Amino acid sequence: MNPIKPLLIFLHHLHPISTETEADLLGLCRLKTYGKNEEIQAIGATCRTIYFMVSGVGRIYYLKDGKEVTEYFAFPNDLIVRAESLFTQLPSKKAIQALEDSEVVAIPADPLFKLFEKHHDLERLFRLLVQNAYVETLRRLENIQFLTAEERYEKLIDEKPELIQKIPLKHVASFLGITQVSLSRIRGQKR
Amino acid sequence: MNPIKPLLIFLHHLHPISTETEADLLGLCRLKTYGKNEEIQAIGATCRTIYFMVSGVGRIYYLKDGKEVTEYFAFPNDLIVRAESLFTQLPSKKAIQALEDSEVVAIPADPLFKLFEKHHDLERLFRLLVQNAYVETLRRLENIQFLTAEERYEKLIDEKPELIQKIPLKHVASFLGITQVSLSRIRGQKR
DNA sequence: CGAGGCCTTGACCGCGGTCAATGCCCGTGG
DNA sequence: CCACGGGCATTGACCGCGGTCAAGGCCTCG
């Protein structure tokens, strides 16, 4: 099977695009593979690429006072984008890393944006993607602001139970906005 | 002067649109005025309107455990939108309120979205607006997550000093994600 | 003038932070 | 094959930020 197929299914589900649009889009996509713990994009580079996870697990992280903070996890069929850099053209303070051996589709943003001129439906699709990511972030903001660490952990457990199995707890902790130590205590008191 | 002019200037600055697009857009815009503390949109309604502040001050707030939490302040030349409802079509848990006598431009979203079919440049503009709001929210998320209440207050002071003058401290406190009491202490120890 | 809203202040407390010690798992080399 | 070292997770001792509850001062407006 064409390894890029999952991306097309994912996109189509959000907003159908014409076959010509799809063909032009496919022309931009490159399938890449990365080994466990390999950096997909390093800190400091300005982000000009949109990634889509086909297999494996990825994350976005950055350094806060010398410590890694995980901002996002990507599982198969998730997009993974350093939006703050892609949309501002500023160098990103964040890195993208494969946490396991992974396959990703890489889509260079500049030619993609050029395609928007030609294919209105592609820009529509992209707009909807951004809207969804925006709403998702608004939710995360409310969670961080009003739930306790423990509530956030519980919520994560029932929204993405597989996450806890696959991902080192230290990454999970920083994703939840707490320390490894606190997460360990929360887990401890459930047993 | 046409009171809708500031909106056009604001939009044009982000992404120029053709005069025909502008004319169709103008056809949708309605100027409205609200008195101090008047509700512009109530909790529970599904959001189908985009607002732009011409004069006065507005805010978005919602109830958390019976207490008001302010999510956003809008000053002249700011947009004010309940994105979580507009983009999901779900009833909003949030309200929009004028904090002073205010003039706002109201743009109904459905006819606006219809115009996207006709005017590609308008959808482009709208996409860029959403992108910017998204990046802004990512920033807010990082602030909430990593700055102390005091640091967030200081940051607010030098980014929007006028805000403290105009807005009741209880709203400022909930916007910062803290209680009125804590904000008062923070302010107290600076004197 | 009195009532009510807003802000401040004091007393107290609990969540989640740091620091440090310990346990556990696993990969590597003698 | 075992010994060792390093990374990850857990646990204890301690602390400070920001929370709640309640009292008191100060405006504004009827």
Side-chain angles (χ1 to χ4, degrees), chain A residues 138 142, chain B residues 60-62 69-73 84 94 140 175:
Chain A
L138 285 172
E142 276 179 49
Chain B
I60 297 177
Y61 73 93
Y62 55 98
V69 175
T70 299
E71 174 177 271
Y72 180 74
F73 293 114
E84 27 74 63
K94 300 171 184 174
R140 253 187 78 107
F175 178 72

Side-chain angles (χ1 to χ4, degrees), chain A residues 73 153 156 163-164 167-177 183:
Chain A
F73 294 114
Y153 175 69
L156 185 63
L163 198 146
I164 306 292
I167 300 203
L169 290 177
K170 61 173 184 166
H171 295 335
V172 176
S174 76
F175 178 71
L176 288 171
L183 178 56

Side-chain angles (χ1 to χ4, degrees), chain B residues 1 6 16 20 27 32 34 44 67-68 70 74 78 86 93 98 117 130 135 157-158 170 172 185:
Chain B
M1 185 181 89
E20 306 88 62
K32 301 196 168 195
Y34 296 90
K67 288 175 191 157
E68 287 188 7
T70 299
D78 289 331
L86 180 66
K93 300 188 186 87
E117 305 293 341
V130 177
V135 170
I157 289 290
D158 63 62
K170 61 175 183 166
V172 176
R185 284 188 219 290

Side-chain angles (χ1 to χ4, degrees), chain B:
Chain B
M1 185 181 89
N2 181 348
I4 293 182
K5 190 75 184 180
L7 171 60
L8 297 177
I9 293 170
F10 167 80
L11 295 178
H12 205 80
H13 183 255
L14 184 61
H15 180 71
I17 52 178
S18 75
T19 49
E20 306 88 62
T21 302
E22 190 171 296
D24 279 351
L25 174 61
L26 270 178
L28 300 180
C29 294
R30 297 285 172 264
L31 186 70
K32 301 196 168 195
T33 63
Y34 296 90
K36 178 168 178 166
N37 293 329
E38 192 176 346
E39 297 272 304
I40 297 176
Q41 295 256 292
I43 290 175
T46 299
C47 181
R48 305 311 308 151
T49 315
I50 292 162
Y51 295 96
F52 176 82
M53 224 56 210
V54 176
S55 67
V57 183
R59 67 163 182 147
I60 297 177
Y61 73 93
Y62 55 98
L63 295 177
K64 174 77 189 176
D65 303 329
K67 288 175 191 157
E68 287 188 7
V69 175
T70 299
E71 174 177 271
Y72 180 74
F73 293 114
F75 289 92
N77 291 313
D78 289 331
L79 286 170
I80 181 164
V81 179
R82 297 181 297 175
E84 27 74 63
S85 175
L86 180 66
F87 294 150
T88 62
Q89 308 263 33
L90 299 171
S92 182
K93 300 188 186 87
K94 300 171 184 174
I96 301 182
Q97 181 189 34
L99 290 178
E100 301 176 355
D101 295 348
S102 303
E103 297 170 289
V104 306
V105 179
I107 309 168
D110 296 314
L112 177 68
F113 292 170
K114 285 231 175 59
L115 276 187
F116 292 169
E117 305 293 341
K118 188 173 166 194
H119 299 298
H120 191 162
D121 58 349
L122 190 59
E123 181 152 22
R124 165 76 45 90
L125 170 59
F126 189 80
R127 169 172 72 82
L128 295 172
L129 284 170
V130 177
Q131 280 183 193
N132 288 350
Y134 178 29
V135 170
E136 188 52 40
T137 303
L138 286 172
R139 288 213 184 96
R140 253 187 78 107
L141 184 62
E142 277 179 48
N143 285 350
I144 283 278
Q145 189 160 156
F146 292 113
L147 302 185
T148 62
E150 184 170 343
E151 290 167 326
R152 295 193 310 265
Y153 174 68
E154 309 243 298
K155 199 158 191 170
L156 185 63
I157 289 290
D158 63 62
E159 281 171 8
K160 293 225 175 189
E162 75 279 15
L163 198 146
I164 306 293
Q165 318 307 325
K166 287 205 161 190
I167 299 200
L169 290 177
K170 61 175 183 166
H171 296 334
V172 176
S174 77
F175 178 72
L176 288 172
I178 58 178
T179 59
Q180 208 177 143
V181 177
S182 287
L183 177 57
S184 178
R185 284 188 219 290
I186 289 168
R187 290 163 54 82
Q189 81 198 19
K190 310 264 146 207
R191 266 176 287 114

Side-chain angles (χ1 to χ4, degrees), chain A residues 88-108:
Chain A
T88 63
Q89 308 264 32
L90 299 171
S92 181
K93 300 188 184 87
K94 300 172 184 174
I96 301 182
Q97 181 189 33
L99 290 177
E100 302 177 355
D101 295 348
S102 304
E103 297 171 289
V104 305
V105 179
I107 310 169

